[in-house]
Amino acid sequence: MRRVLGALGSLLAAVAAGAAAGPAATAAPPPVREGGEITIVRTVTPDHLDPALGYSIYAVEPMFYVYTPLLTYRRVAGLGGATLIPGLAEALPTVSDGGRTYRLRLRQGLRYSDGRPVLASDFEHAIKRVLFLGSGASGYFTGIVGADAYLAAKRPEADIAGIQADDATGDITIRLRARDVVFPNALALTFAAPVPGDTPFRDMTRTPAPGVGPFKFVGSIPNGGFVLERNEGFSLPGIARPHLDRIVTRIVPNPAGVVRDVIAGRADAMFDPPAPALIPLLRARYRARYREHDQLGTGYTFLNVRTPPFDRRDVRRAVAYAVDDRVLARLNGGLTAPACNFLPATMPGYRRLDPCPYGDPDGPAQIATAQAIVRRAGVEGAAVTVWGVTEDPGPKIAAYWVGLLNRIGLRARSRILPFDRYNSLMGRQSTRAQIGVGFAWFADFPHPLNFMFLVDGAVIQPTNNQNAGNVDDPIITRGIAALRREPDLARVADRWAALDRRLVDQAYFVGLSTQKVSALYSTRIDVERCSVVHVVLNNDYTRLCLK
């Protein structure tokens, strides 16, 4: 509320100043500069630049501006950006049969960035690729009639009975086995964006498929970087054309080095968390160019319930008692804050847990309690490998967890990997990771299901598994299945809150925190007019511009 009031006060002051100064003060500002090229530096390589597979924020953020789905979101700041609008579809879907049948029609004259026409059947091809490649988003589409048979057939070109597409008319009909109130949001994910029907059933990161969006991929650079170029043929209502001609994204796996590059003008923007030690400097000396934004996100550490010793609730509870969330917040430079709930406070279904089952998140850790639980459980000296990332502050966070687990009586060591490898291995059953630290989840869409599916037993799979802790709690899994059929979110918010409470009580995730995102810009960027963070899409690449 303070932010809204502050903006309103600034606006009123500006209006008053304009009135006092006379007509000259009300002159329109010069137009935003069009054209030019910028370089964005990131510390982490995208997991995939394939819309069927890319699920890290480093991949999804740029892909939103290359692959437009049938539905998308209003391109405005604030909660208004969570409103669904037509994307490649002419209108929002017509829903019938008790919420089980969706009918849409493609806009006329759509073309991919390589000039080929977009066909209705390309949508089914995109969903087939998601399912066949075992995407982490498969769970959003397995409710389509025939999806299970398609998976069982293990043939990429097999039919999905619940999708009918008419290339002559552009009509698309989708039939679900049961009502799914978040299916419209699933249709707005990049996973569901149509791609040409001859796109192979393999990871296309090295040669990304053409899409329909404001930008297109035109090349790659060493170390996982990539190049976006304005798609001159793009035009869709509600989605702005880019100001910039070209964006080069360079990977520099050093948060301090990234900050130095932007400050020195060797790069123009960074959207990753800065090195924590530099955050006070950025806040104090570079306020005109440095921004922090609250976002629908939660930080967490998962405990794998399929591997000892965390297959036991009492041991997981010991860890929950022992973790000092204040230490984790300091290690993250203040871009996180201790939390008790998994659902973010602004998410429907959030009900503040008070008291928190394992003590005040802003209070001291309860080490003695944790040690006593470990002794009673008979697991003293149990070997645990803590998996973490090489990117700062990842090694420090992993070291904290190793020290914590050793202190409560376990025998811990760490294994540190670059984020792209780490993310892949944590989603692979064969890794048998016991504990993965430093995770953060940002909303794909503003619904509690998008967070709770991380503990949904129905989405567990061998690879690209988003439920890295392999939680298959019958109460949570059945609860999610029932609630995804309920159209009135306000009416069932307490039931979502109950699932959130159970997740915390069972200590499936520990070290919970709220999340902020940050950005630093060079002096070349028109920060005041051209930096927008969208509630779902994150940094809006179409709005970036030069002075």
Side-chain angles (χ1 to χ4, degrees):
M1 178 64 74
R2 180 162 52 198
R3 178 172 297 162
V4 173
L5 291 175
L8 179 60
S10 299
L11 177 61
L12 292 174
V15 171
T26 62
V32 168
R33 177 179 167 183
E34 299 293 332
E37 174 181 318
I38 69 168
T39 297
I40 296 173
V41 278
R42 306 214 73 151
T43 58
V44 175
T45 303
D47 54 344
H48 305 274
L49 290 179
D50 183 320
L53 293 170
Y55 217 156
S56 72
I57 192 172
Y58 310 100
V60 172
E61 185 177 87
M63 287 199 302
F64 262 124
Y65 304 102
V66 174
Y67 301 103
T68 305
L70 298 177
L71 305 180
T72 188
Y73 292 93
R74 288 185 64 205
R75 300 306 206 261
V76 296
L79 292 178
T83 304
L84 284 170
I85 62 172
L88 300 192
E90 288 183 343
L92 295 176
T94 300
V95 185
S96 59
D97 192 24
R100 293 182 295 178
T101 300
Y102 286 70
R103 290 184 173 85
L104 307 99
R105 175 172 289 182
L106 282 179
R107 299 180 189 272
Q108 293 185 353
L110 291 172
R111 291 190 175 275
Y112 292 109
S113 57
D114 66 356
R116 283 185 281 175
V118 180
L119 304 177
S121 57
D122 293 344
F123 168 74
E124 182 176 5
H125 185 73
I127 302 304
K128 287 180 180 179
R129 295 186 74 247
V130 167
L131 297 175
F132 186 80
L133 294 174
S135 167
S138 295
Y140 290 123
F141 305 102
T142 50
I144 297 173
V145 170
D148 49 355
Y150 174 80
L151 287 168
K154 297 183 179 179
R155 290 186 295 111
E157 297 299 341
D159 183 50
I160 301 178
I163 302 178
Q164 282 85 45
D166 187 329
D167 288 340
T169 64
D171 290 335
I172 299 171
T173 301
I174 309 164
R175 291 183 295 118
L176 306 180
R177 294 197 304 269
R179 180 202 292 268
D180 183 354
V181 295
V182 300
F183 191 69
N185 299 100
L187 292 176
L189 296 171
T190 50
F191 302 101
V195 291
D198 61 355
T199 304
F201 286 85
R202 64 173 186 271
D203 184 356
M204 297 297 292
T205 293
R206 292 185 179 276
T207 54
V212 181
F215 286 100
K216 58 184 177 180
F217 288 117
V218 295
S220 61
I221 55 180
N223 301 321
F226 56 90
V227 180
L228 296 171
E229 192 173 276
R230 188 207 306 258
N231 180 7
E232 296 295 348
F234 174 80
S235 178
L236 276 181
I239 305 178
R241 289 172 54 78
H243 297 303
L244 294 168
D245 295 324
R246 186 177 169 93
I247 298 176
V248 176
T249 296
R250 185 160 50 87
I251 309 301
V252 179
N254 179 343
V258 166
V259 170
R260 288 193 295 267
D261 281 354
V262 177
I263 289 175
R266 293 187 293 269
D268 297 298
M270 61 163 284
F271 299 136
D272 298 351
L278 295 179
I279 291 177
L281 172 71
L282 295 174
R283 288 171 174 165
R285 292 184 54 187
Y286 295 95
R287 285 178 293 177
R289 295 196 264 152
Y290 177 67
R291 296 287 188 270
E292 293 179 2
H293 304 270
D294 294 323
Q295 196 73 329
L296 284 173
T298 298
Y300 65 98
T301 287
F302 77 80
L303 304 174
N304 191 342
V305 301
R306 288 185 176 177
T307 61
F310 302 125
D311 54 343
R312 297 180 52 168
R313 176 177 178 263
D314 51 355
V315 181
R316 298 195 304 271
R317 291 179 71 241
V319 178
Y321 277 117
V323 62
D324 192 328
D325 298 310
R326 301 169 303 172
V327 173
L328 294 176
R330 287 196 296 270
L331 290 174
N332 281 299
L335 289 179
T336 67
C340 182
N341 295 68
F342 181 60
L343 290 179
T346 52
M347 178 68 68
Y350 173 87
R351 299 289 185 272
R352 185 171 181 268
L353 290 172
D354 189 15
C356 192
Y358 305 106
D360 182 1
D362 284 306
Q366 300 182 53
I367 298 295
T369 300
Q371 291 170 332
I373 293 173
V374 168
R375 284 195 300 271
R376 287 197 302 269
V379 293
E380 285 184 291
V384 175
T385 298
V386 175
W387 293 74
V389 297
T390 56
E391 291 80 11
D392 189 32
K396 296 173 185 175
I397 291 174
Y400 166 76
W401 280 101
V402 167
L404 172 72
L405 296 177
N406 285 334
R407 190 176 177 191
I408 66 174
L410 303 175
R411 181 165 52 87
R413 63 185 181 90
S414 65
R415 184 169 181 187
I416 311 297
L417 298 169
F419 178 82
D420 53 343
R421 288 189 60 208
Y422 173 75
N423 205 38
S424 173
L425 286 172
M426 294 304 95
R428 194 177 299 170
Q429 294 291 351
S430 59
T431 306
R432 293 183 58 80
Q434 295 163 292
I435 173 173
V437 305
F439 274 83
W441 184 262
F442 293 94
D444 295 322
F445 49 86
H447 192 285
L449 173 70
N450 184 236
F451 282 78
M452 296 303 296
F453 97 112
L454 296 174
V455 289
D456 184 355
V459 305
I460 295 173
Q461 56 190 41
T463 60
N464 298 314
N465 181 27
Q466 298 302 316
N467 184 346
N470 293 301
V471 177
D472 194 6
D473 184 318
I475 293 175
I476 293 179
T477 300
R478 287 198 300 264
I480 291 172
L483 288 171
R484 71 188 303 163
R485 302 190 192 102
E486 293 285 349
D488 187 348
L489 181 53
R491 189 174 70 84
V492 297
D494 285 342
R495 292 164 63 186
W496 282 111
L499 297 185
D500 187 22
R501 186 182 312 113
R502 182 168 181 83
L503 182 160
V504 175
D505 285 340
Q506 298 294 312
Y508 293 131
F509 293 154
V510 294
L512 299 174
S513 63
T514 62
Q515 297 286 305
K516 288 185 177 183
V517 295
S518 62
L520 176 66
Y521 302 93
S522 75
T523 55
R524 299 176 68 225
I525 301 294
D526 189 338
V527 178
E528 295 303 321
R529 295 196 293 170
C530 299
S531 61
V532 175
V533 175
H534 190 277
V535 68
V536 177
L537 312 183
N538 294 297
N539 295 285
D540 189 338
Y541 285 25
T542 65
R543 299 287 291 275
L544 293 169
C545 72
L546 295 169
K547 291 180 179 177

